[in-house]
Amino acid sequence: MNTLSPQSIKAHLGTQTIGKEIHVFGELDSTNSKAYRMATEGADEGEVIVADRQLRGRGRLGRQWLSPPGVNLYVSIILRPPIAARNAPLITLMGAVATAKATKGISGLQPRIKWPNDLLINNKKIAGLLNEVKCREDKVEFVVLGIGINVNMTLASVPEQIRSIATSLREELGYDISRVESLKALLQELEAEYRAFLAGESERLLRQWEEFSQMVGKLVEMRSFHEVIRGRVRGIDSDGSLLLSSSDGSERRVIAGDISQLGELS
Ligand code: BTN
């Protein structure tokens, strides 16, 4: 079943928090923008906003997120975790781990998380996360967890410059996947990871993130604001920053940027 509706998504969903209200739209500017507006107006934790198509899907670093109708998942989830603002990046890591688990569960394929929160299969982008946080003083008021998964998009239908860097589950598997079942799997994984996170299992979350990232020990180049750093990945810090030992011998914590792998280290 490929038609997204609150009824089809809620059937046998089995979650308590994530998806207690599901709002499905034919088209939106961006599910994140809609969710942010709804959260500002008091929408509850766990409300989910889904669109069949986005007219101005947003990616990280001001990029556009390709959002054609009828084929992919564009979803935003409102969370209101009772946590300090400095811990908000952990919600992003949690979202990436849940998306990786759901993608693996749906397809049997092994996705890899590319820091900070891109999901790759065979080195091509299958999903991305854009998380927006509203804080009041030093507390999180709400988080909009925005997730896009390329489910049934064909590469033949996308602009040429995207073809070499993106993929979809359909492209990798050779057949269509149900968007409804994919979304359910995502919401179920998010519920499980969010519960574990609220129960204080953030160490486990960081280790799972590192397992999916397979970056620890790798030599990378990081383009961050106005500098390029080369170094070996040490791991991820509890605030979501990437720990690098750079080639000049210094230890670096990087909070934003684009990473590419240079090669294996012995
Ligand atoms: C990235 O990889 O740069 C992040 C992409 C995030 C895309 C999703 S689709 C649903 C939600 N709404 C948006 O406008 N963006 C996110």
Side-chain angles (χ1 to χ4, degrees), residues 29-33 49 54 56-61 63-67 73-76 117-119 125 127-132 144-149:
D29 50 354
S30 148
T31 57
N32 263 35
S33 305
I49 292 84
Q54 297 184 116
R56 276 182 296 281
R58 296 189 283 118
R60 240 172 27 93
L61 307 171
R63 292 175 188 144
Q64 182 198 347
W65 184 256
L66 194 67
S67 308
L73 282 177
Y74 319 111
V75 52
S76 298
N117 45 13
D118 288 354
L119 229 70
K125 190 145 163 175
L129 283 85
L130 178 69
N131 303 321
E132 297 178 295
V144 170
L145 197 56
I147 304 172
I149 306 180

PDB file of all heavy atoms in Angstrom, residues 29-33 49 54 56-61 63-67 73-76 117-119 125 127-132 144-149, ligand 1:
ATOM      1  N   ASP A  29       4.861  23.356   1.789  1.00  0.00           N
ATOM      2  CA  ASP A  29       6.154  23.968   1.468  1.00  0.00           C
ATOM      3  C   ASP A  29       7.249  23.061   2.007  1.00  0.00           C
ATOM      4  O   ASP A  29       8.129  22.599   1.285  1.00  0.00           O
ATOM      5  CB  ASP A  29       6.250  25.406   2.008  1.00  0.00           C
ATOM      6  CG  ASP A  29       5.869  25.547   3.480  1.00  0.00           C
ATOM      7  OD1 ASP A  29       5.400  24.551   4.093  1.00  0.00           O
ATOM      8  OD2 ASP A  29       6.053  26.637   4.045  1.00  0.00           O
ATOM      9  N   SER A  30       7.166  22.774   3.307  1.00  0.00           N
ATOM     10  CA  SER A  30       8.127  21.890   3.955  1.00  0.00           C
ATOM     11  C   SER A  30       7.451  21.331   5.197  1.00  0.00           C
ATOM     12  O   SER A  30       6.811  22.088   5.949  1.00  0.00           O
ATOM     13  CB  SER A  30       9.365  22.712   4.334  1.00  0.00           C
ATOM     14  OG  SER A  30       9.966  22.223   5.508  1.00  0.00           O
ATOM     15  N   THR A  31       7.560  20.037   5.422  1.00  0.00           N
ATOM     16  CA  THR A  31       6.945  19.457   6.632  1.00  0.00           C
ATOM     17  C   THR A  31       7.587  20.054   7.882  1.00  0.00           C
ATOM     18  O   THR A  31       6.933  20.222   8.907  1.00  0.00           O
ATOM     19  CB  THR A  31       7.075  17.919   6.663  1.00  0.00           C
ATOM     20  OG1 THR A  31       8.461  17.571   6.582  1.00  0.00           O
ATOM     21  CG2 THR A  31       6.304  17.267   5.534  1.00  0.00           C
ATOM     22  N   ASN A  32       8.884  20.387   7.807  1.00  0.00           N
ATOM     23  CA  ASN A  32       9.533  20.994   8.971  1.00  0.00           C
ATOM     24  C   ASN A  32       8.951  22.373   9.280  1.00  0.00           C
ATOM     25  O   ASN A  32       8.696  22.697  10.443  1.00  0.00           O
ATOM     26  CB  ASN A  32      11.047  21.147   8.736  1.00  0.00           C
ATOM     27  CG  ASN A  32      11.836  20.007   9.340  1.00  0.00           C
ATOM     28  OD1 ASN A  32      11.366  18.871   9.344  1.00  0.00           O
ATOM     29  ND2 ASN A  32      13.030  20.289   9.837  1.00  0.00           N
ATOM     30  N   SER A  33       8.740  23.165   8.234  1.00  0.00           N
ATOM     31  CA  SER A  33       8.190  24.511   8.464  1.00  0.00           C
ATOM     32  C   SER A  33       6.798  24.403   9.074  1.00  0.00           C
ATOM     33  O   SER A  33       6.457  25.113  10.016  1.00  0.00           O
ATOM     34  CB  SER A  33       8.122  25.299   7.158  1.00  0.00           C
ATOM     35  OG  SER A  33       9.390  25.319   6.556  1.00  0.00           O
ATOM     36  N   ILE A  49       3.875  15.062  11.085  1.00  0.00           N
ATOM     37  CA  ILE A  49       3.414  15.778   9.897  1.00  0.00           C
ATOM     38  C   ILE A  49       4.066  15.114   8.682  1.00  0.00           C
ATOM     39  O   ILE A  49       5.295  14.991   8.615  1.00  0.00           O
ATOM     40  CB  ILE A  49       3.787  17.283   9.967  1.00  0.00           C
ATOM     41  CG1 ILE A  49       2.986  17.975  11.075  1.00  0.00           C
ATOM     42  CG2 ILE A  49       3.505  17.992   8.643  1.00  0.00           C
ATOM     43  CD1 ILE A  49       3.522  17.880  12.424  1.00  0.00           C
ATOM     44  N   GLN A  54       6.813  18.017  -1.269  1.00  0.00           N
ATOM     45  CA  GLN A  54       7.182  19.311  -0.695  1.00  0.00           C
ATOM     46  C   GLN A  54       7.564  20.264  -1.825  1.00  0.00           C
ATOM     47  O   GLN A  54       8.265  19.886  -2.761  1.00  0.00           O
ATOM     48  CB  GLN A  54       8.364  19.177   0.247  1.00  0.00           C
ATOM     49  CG  GLN A  54       8.089  18.309   1.470  1.00  0.00           C
ATOM     50  CD  GLN A  54       9.272  18.287   2.426  1.00  0.00           C
ATOM     51  OE1 GLN A  54       9.178  18.753   3.544  1.00  0.00           O
ATOM     52  NE2 GLN A  54      10.371  17.726   1.988  1.00  0.00           N
ATOM     53  N   ARG A  56       9.074  23.255  -1.164  1.00  0.00           N
ATOM     54  CA  ARG A  56      10.369  23.826  -0.788  1.00  0.00           C
ATOM     55  C   ARG A  56      10.994  22.979   0.319  1.00  0.00           C
ATOM     56  O   ARG A  56      11.223  23.456   1.430  1.00  0.00           O
ATOM     57  CB  ARG A  56      10.207  25.276  -0.312  1.00  0.00           C
ATOM     58  CG  ARG A  56      10.191  26.290  -1.449  1.00  0.00           C
ATOM     59  CD  ARG A  56      10.084  27.711  -0.956  1.00  0.00           C
ATOM     60  NE  ARG A  56       8.821  27.950  -0.259  1.00  0.00           N
ATOM     61  CZ  ARG A  56       7.665  28.169  -0.862  1.00  0.00           C
ATOM     62  NH1 ARG A  56       7.587  28.196  -2.178  1.00  0.00           N
ATOM     63  NH2 ARG A  56       6.573  28.368  -0.158  1.00  0.00           N
ATOM     64  N   GLY A  57      11.221  21.696  -0.014  1.00  0.00           N
ATOM     65  CA  GLY A  57      11.860  20.798   0.951  1.00  0.00           C
ATOM     66  C   GLY A  57      13.239  21.339   1.295  1.00  0.00           C
ATOM     67  O   GLY A  57      13.977  21.745   0.400  1.00  0.00           O
ATOM     68  N   ARG A  58      13.543  21.370   2.590  1.00  0.00           N
ATOM     69  CA  ARG A  58      14.804  21.985   3.026  1.00  0.00           C
ATOM     70  C   ARG A  58      15.799  20.945   3.506  1.00  0.00           C
ATOM     71  O   ARG A  58      15.445  20.000   4.210  1.00  0.00           O
ATOM     72  CB  ARG A  58      14.526  22.987   4.147  1.00  0.00           C
ATOM     73  CG  ARG A  58      13.677  24.154   3.672  1.00  0.00           C
ATOM     74  CD  ARG A  58      13.577  25.243   4.701  1.00  0.00           C
ATOM     75  NE  ARG A  58      12.632  24.900   5.764  1.00  0.00           N
ATOM     76  CZ  ARG A  58      12.960  24.758   7.039  1.00  0.00           C
ATOM     77  NH1 ARG A  58      14.210  24.881   7.433  1.00  0.00           N
ATOM     78  NH2 ARG A  58      12.046  24.470   7.937  1.00  0.00           N
ATOM     79  N   GLY A  59      17.058  21.129   3.111  1.00  0.00           N
ATOM     80  CA  GLY A  59      18.141  20.277   3.580  1.00  0.00           C
ATOM     81  C   GLY A  59      19.051  21.055   4.510  1.00  0.00           C
ATOM     82  O   GLY A  59      18.808  22.223   4.808  1.00  0.00           O
ATOM     83  N   ARG A  60      20.087  20.406   4.941  1.00  0.00           N
ATOM     84  CA  ARG A  60      21.078  21.041   5.810  1.00  0.00           C
ATOM     85  C   ARG A  60      21.834  22.128   5.061  1.00  0.00           C
ATOM     86  O   ARG A  60      21.925  22.080   3.839  1.00  0.00           O
ATOM     87  CB  ARG A  60      22.078  19.963   6.252  1.00  0.00           C
ATOM     88  CG  ARG A  60      22.163  19.755   7.734  1.00  0.00           C
ATOM     89  CD  ARG A  60      22.991  18.567   8.114  1.00  0.00           C
ATOM     90  NE  ARG A  60      24.035  18.152   7.209  1.00  0.00           N
ATOM     91  CZ  ARG A  60      25.311  18.563   7.284  1.00  0.00           C
ATOM     92  NH1 ARG A  60      25.693  19.418   8.177  1.00  0.00           N
ATOM     93  NH2 ARG A  60      26.198  18.084   6.429  1.00  0.00           N
ATOM     94  N   LEU A  61      22.378  23.064   5.802  1.00  0.00           N
ATOM     95  CA  LEU A  61      23.241  24.128   5.262  1.00  0.00           C
ATOM     96  C   LEU A  61      22.539  24.894   4.139  1.00  0.00           C
ATOM     97  O   LEU A  61      23.148  25.259   3.143  1.00  0.00           O
ATOM     98  CB  LEU A  61      24.578  23.543   4.759  1.00  0.00           C
ATOM     99  CG  LEU A  61      25.364  22.679   5.763  1.00  0.00           C
ATOM    100  CD1 LEU A  61      26.552  21.989   5.093  1.00  0.00           C
ATOM    101  CD2 LEU A  61      25.863  23.526   6.930  1.00  0.00           C
ATOM    102  N   ARG A  63      20.512  23.943   1.935  1.00  0.00           N
ATOM    103  CA  ARG A  63      20.317  23.259   0.648  1.00  0.00           C
ATOM    104  C   ARG A  63      18.849  22.895   0.444  1.00  0.00           C
ATOM    105  O   ARG A  63      18.071  22.885   1.383  1.00  0.00           O
ATOM    106  CB  ARG A  63      21.164  21.991   0.601  1.00  0.00           C
ATOM    107  CG  ARG A  63      22.653  22.310   0.553  1.00  0.00           C
ATOM    108  CD  ARG A  63      23.477  21.039   0.635  1.00  0.00           C
ATOM    109  NE  ARG A  63      24.885  21.370   0.770  1.00  0.00           N
ATOM    110  CZ  ARG A  63      25.759  20.682   1.502  1.00  0.00           C
ATOM    111  NH1 ARG A  63      25.384  19.612   2.175  1.00  0.00           N
ATOM    112  NH2 ARG A  63      27.013  21.053   1.575  1.00  0.00           N
ATOM    113  N   GLN A  64      18.540  22.549  -0.803  1.00  0.00           N
ATOM    114  CA  GLN A  64      17.177  22.142  -1.151  1.00  0.00           C
ATOM    115  C   GLN A  64      17.105  20.613  -1.018  1.00  0.00           C
ATOM    116  O   GLN A  64      18.109  19.931  -1.243  1.00  0.00           O
ATOM    117  CB  GLN A  64      16.954  22.570  -2.599  1.00  0.00           C
ATOM    118  CG  GLN A  64      15.603  22.298  -3.130  1.00  0.00           C
ATOM    119  CD  GLN A  64      15.598  22.346  -4.653  1.00  0.00           C
ATOM    120  OE1 GLN A  64      16.545  22.807  -5.288  1.00  0.00           O
ATOM    121  NE2 GLN A  64      14.529  21.841  -5.229  1.00  0.00           N
ATOM    122  N   TRP A  65      15.915  20.090  -0.643  1.00  0.00           N
ATOM    123  CA  TRP A  65      15.731  18.637  -0.597  1.00  0.00           C
ATOM    124  C   TRP A  65      14.715  18.257  -1.670  1.00  0.00           C
ATOM    125  O   TRP A  65      13.550  18.672  -1.621  1.00  0.00           O
ATOM    126  CB  TRP A  65      15.255  18.188   0.791  1.00  0.00           C
ATOM    127  CG  TRP A  65      15.139  16.697   0.944  1.00  0.00           C
ATOM    128  CD1 TRP A  65      13.986  15.971   0.938  1.00  0.00           C
ATOM    129  CD2 TRP A  65      16.207  15.763   1.128  1.00  0.00           C
ATOM    130  NE1 TRP A  65      14.264  14.640   1.104  1.00  0.00           N
ATOM    131  CE2 TRP A  65      15.624  14.479   1.223  1.00  0.00           C
ATOM    132  CE3 TRP A  65      17.597  15.868   1.217  1.00  0.00           C
ATOM    133  CZ2 TRP A  65      16.374  13.319   1.411  1.00  0.00           C
ATOM    134  CZ3 TRP A  65      18.347  14.717   1.407  1.00  0.00           C
ATOM    135  CH2 TRP A  65      17.736  13.463   1.501  1.00  0.00           C
ATOM    136  N   LEU A  66      15.169  17.500  -2.625  1.00  0.00           N
ATOM    137  CA  LEU A  66      14.309  17.103  -3.749  1.00  0.00           C
ATOM    138  C   LEU A  66      13.107  16.316  -3.213  1.00  0.00           C
ATOM    139  O   LEU A  66      13.289  15.306  -2.535  1.00  0.00           O
ATOM    140  CB  LEU A  66      15.143  16.242  -4.696  1.00  0.00           C
ATOM    141  CG  LEU A  66      14.589  15.981  -6.068  1.00  0.00           C
ATOM    142  CD1 LEU A  66      14.545  17.282  -6.878  1.00  0.00           C
ATOM    143  CD2 LEU A  66      15.450  14.938  -6.785  1.00  0.00           C
ATOM    144  N   SER A  67      11.879  16.762  -3.534  1.00  0.00           N
ATOM    145  CA  SER A  67      10.690  16.185  -2.886  1.00  0.00           C
ATOM    146  C   SER A  67       9.567  15.895  -3.865  1.00  0.00           C
ATOM    147  O   SER A  67       8.464  16.458  -3.756  1.00  0.00           O
ATOM    148  CB  SER A  67      10.192  17.139  -1.791  1.00  0.00           C
ATOM    149  OG  SER A  67      11.224  17.495  -0.905  1.00  0.00           O
ATOM    150  N   LEU A  73       9.367   9.542   1.312  1.00  0.00           N
ATOM    151  CA  LEU A  73       8.809   9.954   2.605  1.00  0.00           C
ATOM    152  C   LEU A  73       9.399  11.293   3.022  1.00  0.00           C
ATOM    153  O   LEU A  73      10.629  11.469   3.012  1.00  0.00           O
ATOM    154  CB  LEU A  73       9.147   8.922   3.681  1.00  0.00           C
ATOM    155  CG  LEU A  73       8.322   7.646   3.688  1.00  0.00           C
ATOM    156  CD1 LEU A  73       8.832   6.689   4.766  1.00  0.00           C
ATOM    157  CD2 LEU A  73       6.830   7.937   3.909  1.00  0.00           C
ATOM    158  N   TYR A  74       8.495  12.224   3.375  1.00  0.00           N
ATOM    159  CA  TYR A  74       8.889  13.517   3.934  1.00  0.00           C
ATOM    160  C   TYR A  74       8.100  13.644   5.231  1.00  0.00           C
ATOM    161  O   TYR A  74       6.863  13.755   5.180  1.00  0.00           O
ATOM    162  CB  TYR A  74       8.539  14.677   2.986  1.00  0.00           C
ATOM    163  CG  TYR A  74       8.846  14.334   1.542  1.00  0.00           C
ATOM    164  CD1 TYR A  74       7.818  14.149   0.616  1.00  0.00           C
ATOM    165  CD2 TYR A  74      10.166  14.154   1.116  1.00  0.00           C
ATOM    166  CE1 TYR A  74       8.090  13.802  -0.706  1.00  0.00           C
ATOM    167  CE2 TYR A  74      10.446  13.799  -0.198  1.00  0.00           C
ATOM    168  CZ  TYR A  74       9.405  13.615  -1.095  1.00  0.00           C
ATOM    169  OH  TYR A  74       9.672  13.260  -2.392  1.00  0.00           O
ATOM    170  N   VAL A  75       8.771  13.605   6.347  1.00  0.00           N
ATOM    171  CA  VAL A  75       8.066  13.535   7.620  1.00  0.00           C
ATOM    172  C   VAL A  75       8.771  14.367   8.683  1.00  0.00           C
ATOM    173  O   VAL A  75      10.002  14.431   8.705  1.00  0.00           O
ATOM    174  CB  VAL A  75       7.906  12.043   8.065  1.00  0.00           C
ATOM    175  CG1 VAL A  75       9.216  11.308   8.053  1.00  0.00           C
ATOM    176  CG2 VAL A  75       7.272  11.912   9.420  1.00  0.00           C
ATOM    177  N   SER A  76       7.966  15.032   9.517  1.00  0.00           N
ATOM    178  CA  SER A  76       8.527  15.785  10.650  1.00  0.00           C
ATOM    179  C   SER A  76       7.790  15.374  11.902  1.00  0.00           C
ATOM    180  O   SER A  76       6.562  15.226  11.899  1.00  0.00           O
ATOM    181  CB  SER A  76       8.376  17.292  10.418  1.00  0.00           C
ATOM    182  OG  SER A  76       9.091  17.665   9.263  1.00  0.00           O
ATOM    183  N   ASN A 117      24.383  13.631   9.966  1.00  0.00           N
ATOM    184  CA  ASN A 117      23.186  12.784   9.956  1.00  0.00           C
ATOM    185  C   ASN A 117      22.666  12.493   8.549  1.00  0.00           C
ATOM    186  O   ASN A 117      21.471  12.532   8.296  1.00  0.00           O
ATOM    187  CB  ASN A 117      22.074  13.365  10.839  1.00  0.00           C
ATOM    188  CG  ASN A 117      21.898  14.841  10.617  1.00  0.00           C
ATOM    189  OD1 ASN A 117      22.419  15.375   9.653  1.00  0.00           O
ATOM    190  ND2 ASN A 117      21.175  15.494  11.482  1.00  0.00           N
ATOM    191  N   ASP A 118      23.585  12.194   7.653  1.00  0.00           N
ATOM    192  CA  ASP A 118      23.194  11.680   6.342  1.00  0.00           C
ATOM    193  C   ASP A 118      23.183  10.163   6.426  1.00  0.00           C
ATOM    194  O   ASP A 118      24.008   9.577   7.120  1.00  0.00           O
ATOM    195  CB  ASP A 118      24.237  12.018   5.273  1.00  0.00           C
ATOM    196  CG  ASP A 118      24.242  13.483   4.907  1.00  0.00           C
ATOM    197  OD1 ASP A 118      23.364  14.217   5.395  1.00  0.00           O
ATOM    198  OD2 ASP A 118      25.135  13.884   4.140  1.00  0.00           O
ATOM    199  N   LEU A 119      22.291   9.550   5.651  1.00  0.00           N
ATOM    200  CA  LEU A 119      22.285   8.090   5.586  1.00  0.00           C
ATOM    201  C   LEU A 119      22.659   7.656   4.177  1.00  0.00           C
ATOM    202  O   LEU A 119      22.037   8.107   3.207  1.00  0.00           O
ATOM    203  CB  LEU A 119      20.876   7.588   5.899  1.00  0.00           C
ATOM    204  CG  LEU A 119      20.831   6.487   6.931  1.00  0.00           C
ATOM    205  CD1 LEU A 119      21.202   7.066   8.269  1.00  0.00           C
ATOM    206  CD2 LEU A 119      19.438   5.899   6.993  1.00  0.00           C
ATOM    207  N   LYS A 125      23.426   8.825  -1.129  1.00  0.00           N
ATOM    208  CA  LYS A 125      22.501   9.279  -0.087  1.00  0.00           C
ATOM    209  C   LYS A 125      21.106   8.689  -0.265  1.00  0.00           C
ATOM    210  O   LYS A 125      20.488   8.824  -1.323  1.00  0.00           O
ATOM    211  CB  LYS A 125      22.438  10.799  -0.124  1.00  0.00           C
ATOM    212  CG  LYS A 125      21.713  11.380   1.031  1.00  0.00           C
ATOM    213  CD  LYS A 125      22.335  12.675   1.444  1.00  0.00           C
ATOM    214  CE  LYS A 125      21.397  13.473   2.306  1.00  0.00           C
ATOM    215  NZ  LYS A 125      22.037  14.678   2.811  1.00  0.00           N
ATOM    216  N   ALA A 127      18.889   8.923   2.681  1.00  0.00           N
ATOM    217  CA  ALA A 127      18.030   9.675   3.608  1.00  0.00           C
ATOM    218  C   ALA A 127      18.825  10.798   4.249  1.00  0.00           C
ATOM    219  O   ALA A 127      20.053  10.755   4.306  1.00  0.00           O
ATOM    220  CB  ALA A 127      17.481   8.745   4.694  1.00  0.00           C
ATOM    221  N   GLY A 128      18.086  11.818   4.719  1.00  0.00           N
ATOM    222  CA  GLY A 128      18.738  12.928   5.406  1.00  0.00           C
ATOM    223  C   GLY A 128      17.845  13.434   6.527  1.00  0.00           C
ATOM    224  O   GLY A 128      16.621  13.245   6.492  1.00  0.00           O
ATOM    225  N   LEU A 129      18.459  14.052   7.509  1.00  0.00           N
ATOM    226  CA  LEU A 129      17.710  14.592   8.645  1.00  0.00           C
ATOM    227  C   LEU A 129      17.996  16.078   8.807  1.00  0.00           C
ATOM    228  O   LEU A 129      19.154  16.504   8.680  1.00  0.00           O
ATOM    229  CB  LEU A 129      18.098  13.898   9.959  1.00  0.00           C
ATOM    230  CG  LEU A 129      17.514  12.505  10.186  1.00  0.00           C
ATOM    231  CD1 LEU A 129      18.366  11.451   9.520  1.00  0.00           C
ATOM    232  CD2 LEU A 129      17.410  12.213  11.676  1.00  0.00           C
ATOM    233  N   LEU A 130      16.953  16.829   9.060  1.00  0.00           N
ATOM    234  CA  LEU A 130      17.092  18.257   9.358  1.00  0.00           C
ATOM    235  C   LEU A 130      16.308  18.512  10.638  1.00  0.00           C
ATOM    236  O   LEU A 130      15.085  18.426  10.643  1.00  0.00           O
ATOM    237  CB  LEU A 130      16.520  19.108   8.217  1.00  0.00           C
ATOM    238  CG  LEU A 130      16.565  20.611   8.451  1.00  0.00           C
ATOM    239  CD1 LEU A 130      17.999  21.121   8.422  1.00  0.00           C
ATOM    240  CD2 LEU A 130      15.736  21.342   7.402  1.00  0.00           C
ATOM    241  N   ASN A 131      17.032  18.798  11.700  1.00  0.00           N
ATOM    242  CA  ASN A 131      16.385  18.944  12.992  1.00  0.00           C
ATOM    243  C   ASN A 131      16.454  20.381  13.454  1.00  0.00           C
ATOM    244  O   ASN A 131      17.500  21.006  13.387  1.00  0.00           O
ATOM    245  CB  ASN A 131      17.039  18.007  13.997  1.00  0.00           C
ATOM    246  CG  ASN A 131      16.963  16.588  13.498  1.00  0.00           C
ATOM    247  OD1 ASN A 131      15.946  16.196  12.926  1.00  0.00           O
ATOM    248  ND2 ASN A 131      18.025  15.849  13.654  1.00  0.00           N
ATOM    249  N   GLU A 132      15.313  20.889  13.896  1.00  0.00           N
ATOM    250  CA  GLU A 132      15.260  22.292  14.303  1.00  0.00           C
ATOM    251  C   GLU A 132      14.776  22.354  15.740  1.00  0.00           C
ATOM    252  O   GLU A 132      13.800  21.697  16.109  1.00  0.00           O
ATOM    253  CB  GLU A 132      14.363  23.052  13.336  1.00  0.00           C
ATOM    254  CG  GLU A 132      14.995  23.004  11.946  1.00  0.00           C
ATOM    255  CD  GLU A 132      14.202  23.670  10.848  1.00  0.00           C
ATOM    256  OE1 GLU A 132      13.104  23.184  10.537  1.00  0.00           O
ATOM    257  OE2 GLU A 132      14.685  24.657  10.297  1.00  0.00           O
ATOM    258  N   VAL A 144      11.870  19.811  16.227  1.00  0.00           N
ATOM    259  CA  VAL A 144      11.235  19.252  15.030  1.00  0.00           C
ATOM    260  C   VAL A 144      12.277  18.360  14.362  1.00  0.00           C
ATOM    261  O   VAL A 144      13.338  18.821  13.951  1.00  0.00           O
ATOM    262  CB  VAL A 144      10.772  20.364  14.060  1.00  0.00           C
ATOM    263  CG1 VAL A 144      10.343  19.767  12.735  1.00  0.00           C
ATOM    264  CG2 VAL A 144       9.638  21.168  14.685  1.00  0.00           C
ATOM    265  N   LEU A 145      11.955  17.079  14.347  1.00  0.00           N
ATOM    266  CA  LEU A 145      12.859  16.085  13.756  1.00  0.00           C
ATOM    267  C   LEU A 145      12.363  15.862  12.328  1.00  0.00           C
ATOM    268  O   LEU A 145      11.298  15.280  12.124  1.00  0.00           O
ATOM    269  CB  LEU A 145      12.728  14.816  14.592  1.00  0.00           C
ATOM    270  CG  LEU A 145      13.755  13.715  14.534  1.00  0.00           C
ATOM    271  CD1 LEU A 145      15.130  14.228  14.854  1.00  0.00           C
ATOM    272  CD2 LEU A 145      13.385  12.621  15.548  1.00  0.00           C
ATOM    273  N   GLY A 146      13.111  16.348  11.355  1.00  0.00           N
ATOM    274  CA  GLY A 146      12.669  16.254   9.957  1.00  0.00           C
ATOM    275  C   GLY A 146      13.449  15.176   9.217  1.00  0.00           C
ATOM    276  O   GLY A 146      14.678  15.204   9.209  1.00  0.00           O
ATOM    277  N   ILE A 147      12.725  14.239   8.616  1.00  0.00           N
ATOM    278  CA  ILE A 147      13.393  13.087   7.991  1.00  0.00           C
ATOM    279  C   ILE A 147      12.871  12.911   6.564  1.00  0.00           C
ATOM    280  O   ILE A 147      11.660  12.877   6.326  1.00  0.00           O
ATOM    281  CB  ILE A 147      13.122  11.804   8.812  1.00  0.00           C
ATOM    282  CG1 ILE A 147      13.571  12.008  10.265  1.00  0.00           C
ATOM    283  CG2 ILE A 147      13.857  10.595   8.186  1.00  0.00           C
ATOM    284  CD1 ILE A 147      13.186  10.877  11.207  1.00  0.00           C
ATOM    285  N   GLY A 148      13.790  12.802   5.636  1.00  0.00           N
ATOM    286  CA  GLY A 148      13.428  12.489   4.251  1.00  0.00           C
ATOM    287  C   GLY A 148      14.080  11.170   3.866  1.00  0.00           C
ATOM    288  O   GLY A 148      15.286  10.998   4.066  1.00  0.00           O
ATOM    289  N   ILE A 149      13.282  10.228   3.364  1.00  0.00           N
ATOM    290  CA  ILE A 149      13.841   8.942   2.909  1.00  0.00           C
ATOM    291  C   ILE A 149      13.456   8.745   1.438  1.00  0.00           C
ATOM    292  O   ILE A 149      12.277   8.843   1.079  1.00  0.00           O
ATOM    293  CB  ILE A 149      13.322   7.748   3.737  1.00  0.00           C
ATOM    294  CG1 ILE A 149      13.566   7.968   5.236  1.00  0.00           C
ATOM    295  CG2 ILE A 149      14.001   6.437   3.294  1.00  0.00           C
ATOM    296  CD1 ILE A 149      13.085   6.823   6.131  1.00  0.00           C
TER     297      ILE A 149
HETATM  298  C1  BTN B   1      19.849  16.927   4.470  1.00  0.00           C
HETATM  299  O1  BTN B   1      20.321  15.833   4.192  1.00  0.00           O
HETATM  300  O2  BTN B   1      20.397  17.985   4.100  1.00  0.00           O
HETATM  301  C2  BTN B   1      18.590  16.979   5.285  1.00  0.00           C
HETATM  302  C3  BTN B   1      17.368  16.670   4.467  1.00  0.00           C
HETATM  303  C4  BTN B   1      16.101  16.681   5.275  1.00  0.00           C
HETATM  304  C5  BTN B   1      14.875  16.525   4.425  1.00  0.00           C
HETATM  305  C6  BTN B   1      13.631  16.368   5.240  1.00  0.00           C
HETATM  306  S1  BTN B   1      12.238  15.941   4.264  1.00  0.00           S
HETATM  307  C7  BTN B   1      11.192  16.201   5.613  1.00  0.00           C
HETATM  308  C8  BTN B   1      11.683  17.438   6.341  1.00  0.00           C
HETATM  309  N1  BTN B   1      11.138  18.659   5.756  1.00  0.00           N
HETATM  310  C9  BTN B   1      12.082  19.391   5.169  1.00  0.00           C
HETATM  311  O3  BTN B   1      11.876  20.475   4.569  1.00  0.00           O
HETATM  312  N2  BTN B   1      13.273  18.814   5.298  1.00  0.00           N
HETATM  313  C10 BTN B   1      13.187  17.580   6.045  1.00  0.00           C
END
